[in-house]
């Protein structure tokens, strides 16, 4: 199997740097799902939000280390996408009974027709990157989409 290239699914239109801290995870869901809709990653924002909430009910997406990794899979996702939002300061992220401060959000949109294997490979590749200290340590120094692509490539 070919390696997953995260740069191929990082959605330029859904990358937000230095956003004000969110009042809630739901507020963040609304904004990033709207960005996915505007970018053509999803065809129905409400269906995708439902998929995000259903996934949240299954287990926490709070990763520790100031990282949230929400993800939704549904038929209204027409192409895989990763949204990235860096907040200017952390906000309280509550997920399936766990909570912690989150400053970096990587939100995945996965097509419903994508096999569970492909879905897990994208998720595992991203989680592996987020487990690398050298990657997370440099998230604050990213100032553009191209810099994020370069960082992902350098740390993969």
């Amino acid at each position: 199997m070919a390696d997953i290239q995260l740069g191929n699914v990082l959605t330029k239109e859904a990358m937000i740097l230095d956003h004000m801290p969110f009042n809630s995870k739901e507020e963040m869901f609304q904004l990033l799902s709207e960005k996915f809709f505007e970018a053509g990653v999803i065809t129905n924002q409400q269906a995708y939000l439902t998929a995000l909430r259903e996934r949240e009910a299954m287990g926490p997406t709070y990763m520790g280390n100031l990282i949230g990794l929400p993800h939704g899979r549904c038929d209204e996702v027409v192409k895989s996408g990763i949204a990235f939002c860096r907040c200017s300061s952390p906000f309280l992220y509550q997920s399936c009974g766990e909570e912690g401060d989150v400053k970096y959000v990587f939100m995945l949109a996965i097509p419903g027709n994508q096999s569970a294997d492909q879905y897990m490979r994208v998720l595992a590749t991203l989680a592996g990157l987020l487990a690398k200290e050298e990657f997370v340590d440099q998230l604050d120094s990213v100032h553009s989409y191209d810099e994020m692509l370069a960082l992902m490539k350098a740390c993969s």
Side-chain angles (χ1 to χ4, degrees):
M1 281 188 209
D3 284 342
I4 299 290
Q5 297 296 319
L6 294 177
N8 295 341
V9 288
L10 182 65
T11 306
K12 187 173 189 173
E13 301 84 353
M15 186 167 155
I16 304 167
L17 300 177
D18 302 319
H19 192 276
M20 294 298 294
F22 294 98
N23 293 315
S24 67
K25 184 179 65 180
E26 189 61 33
E27 182 185 16
M28 177 266 297
F29 279 6
Q30 288 287 336
L31 176 65
L32 294 183
S33 63
E34 193 176 295
K35 295 292 184 187
F36 273 153
F37 181 75
E38 290 168 1
V41 171
I42 62 175
T43 57
N44 183 309
Q45 188 177 358
Q46 289 309 313
Y48 178 67
L49 284 167
T50 297
L52 283 172
R53 292 179 193 121
E54 287 172 355
R55 170 55 192 85
E56 286 292 307
M58 289 187 223
T61 57
Y62 170 65
M63 304 287 293
N65 211 14
L66 297 175
I67 298 167
L69 186 58
H71 44 287
R73 180 181 179 199
C74 61
D75 292 337
E76 291 77 10
V77 177
V78 292
K79 60 183 178 183
S80 294
I82 298 173
F84 172 68
C85 182
R86 178 180 67 209
C87 294
S88 55
S89 60
F91 69 100
L92 184 62
Y93 187 95
Q94 297 173 307
S95 178
C96 201
E98 289 190 13
E99 65 179 38
D101 286 339
V102 164
K103 184 175 180 181
Y104 314 108
V105 177
F106 289 86
M107 180 185 281
L108 274 72
I110 306 289
N113 65 0
Q114 192 173 75
S115 74
D117 178 59
Q118 285 177 300
Y119 172 53
M120 292 310 295
R121 282 175 47 223
V122 171
L123 195 57
T125 302
L126 182 56
L129 190 59
L130 296 175
K132 293 182 178 179
E133 215 174 289
E134 76 249 39
F135 178 76
V136 176
D137 286 349
Q138 293 182 59
L139 288 175
D140 277 331
S141 63
V142 168
H143 295 99
S144 70
Y145 175 77
D146 290 333
E147 286 182 18
M148 178 60 92
L149 288 179
L151 179 61
M152 286 178 146
K153 188 172 184 176
C155 294
S156 291

